[in-house]
Amino acid sequence: MQRTKIVDLLRRTDFGATVCVKGWVRTRRGSKSVNFIALNDGSTILNVQVVADVEKFDPEMLKLITTGACLAVEGTLVESQGAGQSVEVQATAIEVLGTCGSDYPMQKKGQTFEYMRQHAHMRLRTNTFGAVFRIRHNMAMAIHRYFHEHGFFYFNTPIITASDCEGAGQMFQVTTQNLYDLKHTEDGKIDYSNDFFGKTTSLTVSGQLEGELGATALGAIYTFGPTFRAENSNTPRHLAEFWMIEPEVAFYDINDNMDLAEDFIKYCVRWALDNCQDDLAFLNKMVDKTLLDRLHFVVEHDFVRLTYTEGIKILEEAIAGGRKFEFPVHWGIDLASEHERYLVEEHFKKPVILTDYPKEIKAFYMKLNEDGKTVRAMDVLFPQIGEIIGGSEREESYEKLMARIEELDIPMKDMWWYLDTRRFGTCPHSGFGLGFERLILFVTGMQNIRDVIPFPRTPKSADF
Ligand code: 4AD
Ligand code: MG
């Protein structure tokens, strides 16, 4: 018999119909005469209640219906008498597809998130992680829809690359060389000429540089792919492998770029509110009681826009007024998370877009302002998260870009193709990168980035 997904079954009203559901047992309770089995198949956070009259079934089979076991149930769809559910299934046949022993790691309720991480292969079957990963899927769909509806082309950039986009030296090297028998050149350096690509290669930290090639040909593109950073930051907001969305648009200046970022992120949050109601209601109840309020707030309010210099002034005034920070504040610092969150959560109580940062703390490709000190950078700062988006208007002048590259001593050998965009029909253009997991953190109210990607990669941790 054709199986019905629980998400569809719960909407049906053709009581009396014979139905088939398959899924995993969440709980089983009951008396000598009747058993109630809560079954979940992952299609929704909601369970369907299966009612089994004990006398109709083999007692040995019923014993196998334990938490975590996998069942196929046939029965009659009936209107539910119980509160909080519309339909239930009066079982006529139950097959145990997979038994589940008492060592099932998700058996006990109320485990810590750290325990869940150690059992990441099984945590997917819990309510919380089911909700998170259904929302994650919905956010991916929202992102593709937003850009498709706005005339952007989905553009795939390479994962293996020879250039360090952010210039931060945080790349994972890719090699097929035998590390026990490395060949060296005469001057003692490792000889890459016989390596797979004939040169040093790494996993990309960002698709932006190739994205700029796409934007200056197709007009407006976006990437959506995995990126890798070997930064040794053990924080609740950093992963070594994360997904990034990078739109890049020809003829956009920084203001157009900010408008795009704000509109895009609001669209994604609205999508979650419209399409993930059951999962959000669960997370709002169990994980973070202010979640729904925060999501509505972001959709309904304009983001504050101010310059880095103005931001520093506000922080300095706060310090003068007695506010304590762990890290010192003065013009030129790279803002710490505590500074960003002060501006967003305490001072403005709104998302903030900070612009025009000192050039020393930003990447080489950002457009230099007329003051010669700041660049046309823009970071979007969010409550609870801090930086969720980083972007800029790009330096379109070949001469100015070359000057920056020389100033920073960036190896030119592998950058010739990027510089060609500035030699052949250069144009003003802008773009940004949204950290996908940081968006999911915001939308789910989860506290740790390791809990919004199925199998997190962090320093000293690459299980599963
Ligand atoms: O600010 P970032 O480093 O900017 C870039 O990579 C640019 N090339 C983007 C562009 O202009 N096209 O990273 C962009 C975003 C950050 O704002 C943050 O949300 C996320 O990527 N991010 C991380 N997310 C998780 N773990 C990490 N280690 C991250 N590093 C950055
Ligand atoms: Mg950044």
Side-chain angles (χ1 to χ4, degrees):
M1 195 189 170
Q2 176 87 33
R3 163 199 171 216
T4 307
K5 282 191 184 172
I6 292 172
V7 68
D8 299 324
L9 190 87
L10 295 177
R11 291 197 201 106
R12 282 172 60 169
T13 51
D14 53 334
F15 304 117
T18 303
V19 295
C20 169
V21 286
K22 298 181 182 179
W24 294 270
V25 176
R26 282 291 158 78
T27 57
R28 173 187 160 201
R29 61 193 173 80
S31 62
K32 281 212 177 80
S33 60
V34 60
N35 276 195
F36 300 100
I37 304 155
L39 205 65
N40 187 282
D41 68 359
S43 61
T44 160
I45 190 138
L46 305 172
N47 303 325
V48 69
Q49 173 154 280
V50 174
V51 184
D53 291 330
V54 171
E55 58 173 25
K56 290 193 196 141
F57 296 96
D58 172 8
E60 290 308 308
M61 186 280 291
L62 287 178
K63 271 190 211 154
L64 301 177
I65 302 178
T66 55
T67 298
C70 187
L71 307 184
V73 177
E74 262 184 45
T76 312
L77 187 70
V78 294
E79 201 165 0
S80 178
Q81 307 305 318
Q85 56 205 9
S86 49
V87 308
E88 56 191 36
V89 175
Q90 183 74 47
T92 50
I94 300 177
E95 184 186 350
V96 179
L97 299 175
T99 58
C100 187
S102 59
D103 54 344
Y104 175 50
M106 295 297 122
Q107 193 147 33
K108 271 225 229 74
K109 293 211 161 140
Q111 299 283 13
T112 63
F113 283 124
E114 182 51 34
Y115 173 90
M116 298 283 196
R117 276 168 224 140
Q118 287 158 11
H119 301 86
H121 59 312
M122 286 289 138
R123 68 177 179 170
L124 307 172
R125 294 217 201 139
T126 63
N127 284 332
T128 300
F129 288 93
V132 167
F133 295 124
R134 277 185 296 273
I135 291 171
R136 187 178 164 111
H137 159 80
N138 268 280
M139 289 296 90
M141 291 299 117
I143 287 161
H144 283 299
R145 275 182 83 125
Y146 179 86
F147 286 122
H148 182 68
E149 285 169 4
H150 289 79
F152 287 63
F153 299 106
Y154 179 35
F155 189 71
N156 298 118
T157 51
I159 289 173
I160 299 175
T161 175
S163 51
D164 181 357
C165 174
E166 294 304 299
Q170 298 173 323
M171 303 185 85
F172 290 101
Q173 210 177 311
V174 173
T175 179
T176 53
Q177 293 195 85
N178 178 356
L179 299 182
Y180 293 102
D181 185 24
L182 286 175
K183 303 281 177 289
H184 290 81
T185 56
E186 272 170 19
D187 54 358
K189 297 207 171 110
I190 294 169
D191 180 6
Y192 285 97
S193 61
N194 285 319
D195 202 346
F196 191 92
F197 296 105
K199 58 171 144 185
T200 331
T201 49
S202 304
L203 298 177
T204 189
V205 296
S206 158
Q208 179 195 321
L209 301 187
E210 291 89 350
E212 288 185 47
L213 303 180
T216 53
L218 302 170
I221 62 92
Y222 70 105
T223 73
F224 188 167
T227 49
F228 307 85
R229 299 207 182 167
E231 56 185 327
N232 202 358
S233 328
N234 249 313
T235 82
R237 274 176 280 281
H238 288 88
L239 290 165
E241 177 179 306
F242 65 99
W243 289 67
M244 186 152 54
I245 297 94
E246 295 184 273
E248 191 72 34
V249 195
F251 317 118
Y252 261 27
D253 67 14
I254 191 173
N255 293 310
D256 303 319
N257 207 30
M258 287 194 276
D259 291 343
L260 175 68
E262 183 167 345
D263 190 53
F264 165 57
I265 217 162
K266 284 179 170 169
Y267 178 97
C268 293
V269 175
R270 211 176 296 119
W271 181 278
L273 286 167
D274 291 345
N275 294 279
C276 307
Q277 283 155 352
D278 293 338
D279 289 322
L280 286 177
F282 174 84
L283 293 168
N284 193 69
K285 191 166 144 215
M286 303 302 289
V287 172
D288 179 350
K289 299 217 161 25
T290 61
L291 173 63
L292 284 171
D293 288 344
R294 210 162 49 241
L295 298 185
H296 283 291
F297 186 85
V298 160
V299 169
E300 286 156 17
H301 291 84
D302 288 342
F303 297 1
V304 177
R305 300 180 184 189
L306 74 160
T307 64
Y308 167 93
T309 303
E310 290 163 339
I312 291 288
K313 220 178 279 161
I314 291 170
L315 289 165
E316 283 173 341
E317 279 163 17
I319 290 168
R323 178 68 162 82
K324 296 268 180 293
F325 291 105
E326 187 182 343
F327 298 102
V329 172
H330 55 84
W331 199 93
I333 60 154
D334 204 354
L335 294 180
S337 182
E338 57 171 348
H339 306 136
E340 296 175 341
R341 292 183 63 173
Y342 174 82
L343 292 174
V344 173
E345 291 165 25
E346 294 179 47
H347 188 82
F348 289 110
K349 300 193 169 63
K350 274 186 186 179
V352 169
I353 311 183
L354 219 52
T355 62
D356 303 286
Y357 285 72
K359 65 177 180 184
E360 286 76 17
I361 58 172
K362 289 294 180 187
F364 74 96
Y365 50 70
M366 296 191 180
K367 186 178 173 76
L368 194 61
N369 279 316
E370 268 153 28
D371 62 13
K373 292 195 306 197
T374 59
V375 288
R376 236 158 262 183
M378 48 159 263
D379 278 8
V380 180
L381 313 178
F382 254 43
Q384 310 264 317
I385 309 295
E387 179 190 337
I388 193 163
I389 280 179
S392 75
E393 187 169 336
R394 317 306 187 191
E395 182 56 77
E396 85 257 24
S397 146
Y398 180 83
E399 287 70 31
K400 287 187 189 159
L401 188 61
M402 272 306 292
R404 254 335 251 152
I405 285 175
E406 276 160 20
E407 229 168 62
L408 292 169
D409 214 12
I410 295 170
M412 281 304 308
K413 188 163 59 53
D414 295 315
M415 295 295 261
W416 59 272
W417 51 272
Y418 180 69
L419 287 163
D420 272 2
T421 52
R422 275 58 169 179
R423 295 208 307 140
F424 304 120
T426 191
C427 70
H429 60 288
S430 301
F432 61 80
L434 167 73
F436 189 45
E437 287 75 18
R438 297 213 181 155
L439 174 68
I440 310 300
L441 271 180
F442 180 72
V443 172
T444 60
M446 299 294 284
Q447 296 295 312
N448 193 313
I449 201 163
R450 293 165 181 79
D451 299 333
V452 297
I453 187 166
F455 305 108
R457 299 289 177 255
T458 52
K460 301 280 183 292
S461 166
D463 286 337
F464 311 108

